[in-house]
């Protein structure tokens, strides 16, 4: 694996951009956005697909773009519901990858930590590669690792809020305390600068949906996010300058001769 790649559950990926598939103006715009983003992983909401009584080729169109599907359990309120939906997703889509979501609060859509850990434990036993959507709480993240999750997806802010990283301290703490764990910032990203910031903190990838699908020009926005994520990762690997409390001259002159014209 090269420095520019990462490997969730042993699958090597060169793109660190995971893209959602909901809310696009048309399947064509979605396909063009996938291409412009450079993503290799696209999430699919199974509940929405089932509610539509057939996806009319929606999922087939995504697969045709050459990406991996990451079905999610969005909309589930209990561990039991999420487990059932995950099994349906594996049967329908032929993948053991699952983005686990168990909602605990209707206003913020904050994930239920107990329900998420409970569902993750069972799904890991059932042979799933679980990508749990969680908060930035370190203890919850450690419990998810304890039950067998190999990837964590802490939020940047509530889903669809576009607020960016509302608690950088907690995210930095997660990165520092879990140095070998693939971490994906999921939810709340509203601008490419937010995604770049997440990558500069050392996170392995970013997952977002609304910031692209709801843009005036989703295709151009997808490309903008792809570039920002790439730039943020490059900056992290190069070594981002640490903030200083005081001014530090970039061109010190003390003790050096110089000419006055």
């Amino acid at each position: 694996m090269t420095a520019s790649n990462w490997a969730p559950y042993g699958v090597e990926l060169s793109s660190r951009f995971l893209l959602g598939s909901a809310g696009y103006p048309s399947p064509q715009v979605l396909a063009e956005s996938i291409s412009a983003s450079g993503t290799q992983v696209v999430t699919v909401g199974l509940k929405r697909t089932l509610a539509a009584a057939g996806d009319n080729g929606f999922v087939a169109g995504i697969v045709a773009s050459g990406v991996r599907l990451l079905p999610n359990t969005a909309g589930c309120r209990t561990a039991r519901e999420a487990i059932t939906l995950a099994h349906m997703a594996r049967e329908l889509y032929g993948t053991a990858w699952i983005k686990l979501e168990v909602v605990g609060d209707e206003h913020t859509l904050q994930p239920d930590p107990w329900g998420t850990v409970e569902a993750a434990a069972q799904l890991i036993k059932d042979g799933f590669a679980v990508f749990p959507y969680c908060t930035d709480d370190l203890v919850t993240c450690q419990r998810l690792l304890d039950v067998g999750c190999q990837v964590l997806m802490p939020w940047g802010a509530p889903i669809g809020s576009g607020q960016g990283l509302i608690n950088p301290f907690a995210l930095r703490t997660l990165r520092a305390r879990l140095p070998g764990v693939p971490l994906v910032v999921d939810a709340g990203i509203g601008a490419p600068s937010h995604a770049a910031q997440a990558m500069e903190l050392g996170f392995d990838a970013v997952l977002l949906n609304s910031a692209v699908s709801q843009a005036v020009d989703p295709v151009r926005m997808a490309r903008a996010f792809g570039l920002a994520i790439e730039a943020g990762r490059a900056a992290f690997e190069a070594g981002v300058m640490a903030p200083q409390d005081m001014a530090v001259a970039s061109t010190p002159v003390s003790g050096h001769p110089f000419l006055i014209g």
Side-chain angles (χ1 to χ4, degrees), residues 226-259:
L227 293 171
I229 290 167
E230 183 178 348
R233 181 63 190 186
F236 170 73
E237 292 178 347
V240 178
M241 178 181 176
Q244 305 289 329
D245 291 332
M246 300 291 290
V248 179
S250 58
T251 309
V253 296
S254 177
H256 296 273
F258 61 94
L259 299 177

Side-chain angles (χ1 to χ4, degrees), residues 12-76:
E12 189 169 335
L13 301 172
S14 58
S15 173
R16 295 173 180 271
F17 187 1
L18 287 70
L19 186 63
S21 59
Y24 287 83
S26 70
Q28 180 63 31
V29 172
L30 171 59
E32 292 177 3
S33 298
I34 291 173
S35 177
S37 71
T39 185
Q40 294 172 290
V41 178
V42 173
T43 64
V44 177
L46 183 58
K47 274 202 166 188
R48 185 191 63 176
T49 301
L50 294 175
D55 64 18
N56 296 316
F58 172 75
V59 172
I62 296 174
V63 173
S65 66
V67 300
R68 290 184 68 96
L69 288 182
L70 178 59
N72 69 49
T73 63
C76 291

Side-chain angles (χ1 to χ4, degrees), residues 15 76 112 122 159 185 196-197 216 252 257-258:
S15 173
C76 291
D112 176 352
Q122 184 59 54
I159 292 174
V185 171
Q197 181 186 9
V216 174
F258 61 94

Side-chain angles (χ1 to χ4, degrees), residues 18 75 97 120 181 213 221 256:
L18 287 70
W97 279 22
V181 178
S213 66
M221 187 61 77
H256 296 273

Side-chain angles (χ1 to χ4, degrees), residues 133-154:
Y133 169 56
C134 54
T135 65
D136 51 21
D137 178 71
L138 175 60
V139 175
T140 299
C141 289
Q142 289 174 325
R143 295 295 177 267
L144 288 166
L145 294 175
D146 289 343
V147 301
C149 293
Q150 297 180 23
V151 177
L152 299 175
M153 305 181 75

Side-chain angles (χ1 to χ4, degrees), residues 5 17 29 33 50-51 59 61 93 95 115 131 150 157 173 191 199 206-207 209 217 231 256-257 260:
N5 292 2
F17 187 1
V29 172
S33 298
L50 294 175
V59 172
Y93 301 140
T95 177
F131 293 69
Q150 297 180 23
T173 301
M199 300 306 294
V206 170
L207 192 158
N209 187 159
D217 187 337
H256 296 273
I260 300 178

Side-chain angles (χ1 to χ4, degrees), residues 152-169:
L152 299 175
M153 305 181 75
W155 68 355
I159 292 174
S161 68
Q163 296 181 59
L165 310 186
I166 59 174
N167 194 346
F169 171 79

